[in-house]
Amino acid sequence: MTVFPSESETDTTLEIPLQRFNIKVGRENEIANKVRQALVKNEYFSLDENGTELYYEIYGRGEHKILFINASGRSLDDYRHLISRFLDLNQFQMCTYDHRTTGMSKGKLQRLSTALLAQDIEKLIAHLQWGQVNIIAHSMGSFTALELLLHNPNYIQSGFLMGCSSGYWRPSFTTIGRTILQAFACSSKQQKEIEAPVSYSKQFLSEYQEDLQMTGLEYVCQDQEYSPICEENGSFLVSISEYRACMSHFVDEKGLEEVKQTNIPILIAHGTADNV
């Protein structure tokens, strides 16, 4: 089991990226503080000689390793609520990171592919010396996980892949329309209103939530310091680059059958009304 030194024992903790935890208030502040207190390590990891560096964070000290992989346009903070729940079990050590050239990771804007992003994951796992990991991924992150499962499954112990599909991915008209609307939204609230149905059920958004004392939609569309939805993870050009990565997803049904033959437990979940 790999155990990193505590924050007080290491000089690798970078304070600037961690300042984002301080902007949350209310219910989200409680979750942010809980996750921040569980931080074991954060670091920039060099991927190549061209200055590309992956930013990652490690939480918890449990025996079982979980690697979270982001969707396109999202950030490592998307999994904050899940991390908070897993911390209660005291069984897991978790890693979140931003894909190359996005979010807090460093590097020049470049053409991305799920195969390239899968190679980044291999390098990250090797860097962490974790051996095998349990993967939780969403959308583009799930496509990337499938690439890794197909070409180098030895890194993966199990996987939960959300919003995933096989074959050549092409964005639907709904997805294209949503991206355009978000790009030209006049406010952060409008962006959240457009994004909310992708991440939350219609029932949660429309119904009054007793514990929140408002509807789900009202809760997620609050100002950034109150909302569980994180800000978009990059510029419009970064979003285009990530869409191109999704369109490079070539794992077809034959590939899925090969993944199945590895006998690695994988759950692929697609939404009940998914328009992607």
Side-chain angles (χ1 to χ4, degrees):
M1 178 179 70
T2 303
V3 177
F4 293 104
S6 66
E7 182 180 349
S8 61
E9 297 170 334
T10 180
D11 58 0
T12 60
T13 300
L14 309 175
E15 289 301 328
I16 293 179
L18 302 180
Q19 291 176 1
R20 70 190 194 281
F21 285 96
N22 300 327
I23 70 169
K24 294 296 183 180
V25 296
R27 179 188 177 99
E28 293 303 314
N29 175 257
E30 295 175 7
I31 295 172
N33 281 337
K34 177 181 177 181
V35 173
R36 173 67 178 86
Q37 290 299 316
L39 179 72
V40 176
K41 182 178 184 180
N42 68 321
E43 187 177 53
Y44 284 99
F45 162 59
S46 178
L47 288 173
D48 55 38
E49 298 178 351
N50 299 319
T52 307
E53 297 183 5
L54 218 59
Y55 176 78
Y56 70 88
E57 297 178 350
I58 303 292
Y59 300 96
R61 298 180 177 277
E63 179 180 359
H64 305 290
K65 312 302 182 186
I66 299 178
L67 177 66
F68 293 96
I69 311 177
N70 308 333
S72 60
R74 310 311 306 166
S75 79
L76 75 175
D77 287 328
D78 275 19
Y79 295 106
R80 185 177 291 169
H81 282 238
L82 276 179
I83 291 171
S84 174
R85 296 295 184 91
F86 279 120
L87 287 172
D88 293 336
L89 301 175
N90 295 315
Q91 298 177 17
F92 300 97
Q93 188 165 64
M94 295 160 280
C95 177
T96 61
Y97 71 99
D98 281 331
H99 294 293
R100 62 164 61 211
T101 75
T102 74
M104 289 175 286
S105 290
K106 299 178 181 180
K108 296 180 180 179
L109 185 64
Q110 57 190 270
R111 182 165 187 168
L112 300 179
S113 68
T114 52
L116 176 61
L117 298 178
Q119 292 173 17
D120 292 347
I121 294 174
E122 291 183 36
K123 293 176 181 178
L124 177 59
I125 295 172
H127 173 71
L128 297 176
Q129 299 180 352
W130 274 9
Q132 288 189 319
V133 299
N134 303 283
I135 283 180
I136 296 179
H138 179 217
S139 190
M140 184 182 77
S142 295
F143 297 165
T144 303
L146 275 182
E147 291 278 357
L148 184 58
L149 275 163
L150 184 61
H151 299 294
N152 205 337
N154 294 329
Y155 284 102
I156 300 179
Q157 186 173 2
S158 70
F160 177 43
L161 313 183
M162 299 171 281
C164 189
S165 63
S166 63
Y168 293 88
W169 181 86
R170 294 294 181 267
S172 66
F173 288 114
T174 301
T175 302
I176 295 172
R178 185 176 65 242
T179 301
I180 294 174
L181 288 174
Q182 283 183 302
F184 293 97
C186 297
S187 66
S188 175
K189 181 179 179 181
Q190 285 186 341
Q191 288 183 331
K192 292 184 179 71
E193 289 175 344
I194 297 166
E195 178 68 20
V198 178
S199 302
Y200 298 90
S201 69
K202 182 178 180 180
Q203 181 179 1
F204 170 79
L205 294 174
S206 62
E207 293 183 354
Y208 184 84
Q209 306 297 323
E210 291 290 344
D211 58 331
L212 302 177
Q213 297 185 340
M214 62 184 75
T215 66
L217 183 61
E218 290 172 334
Y219 181 69
V220 300
C221 291
Q222 295 179 103
D223 291 341
Q224 187 59 30
E225 60 265 29
Y226 296 95
S227 174
I229 292 185
C230 302
E231 295 287 0
E232 286 293 312
N233 190 18
S235 66
F236 183 70
L237 291 178
V238 170
S239 297
I240 295 298
S241 179
E242 290 184 313
Y243 268 120
R244 293 178 70 176
C246 291
M247 294 174 70
S248 73
H249 175 54
F250 296 150
V251 179
D252 55 14
E253 292 184 13
K254 180 180 178 181
L256 285 181
E257 187 60 31
E258 291 182 33
V259 170
K260 184 177 179 181
Q261 295 303 316
T262 65
N263 292 321
I264 298 172
I266 301 293
L267 176 61
I268 297 179
H270 215 61
T272 55
D274 201 321
N275 292 313
V276 176

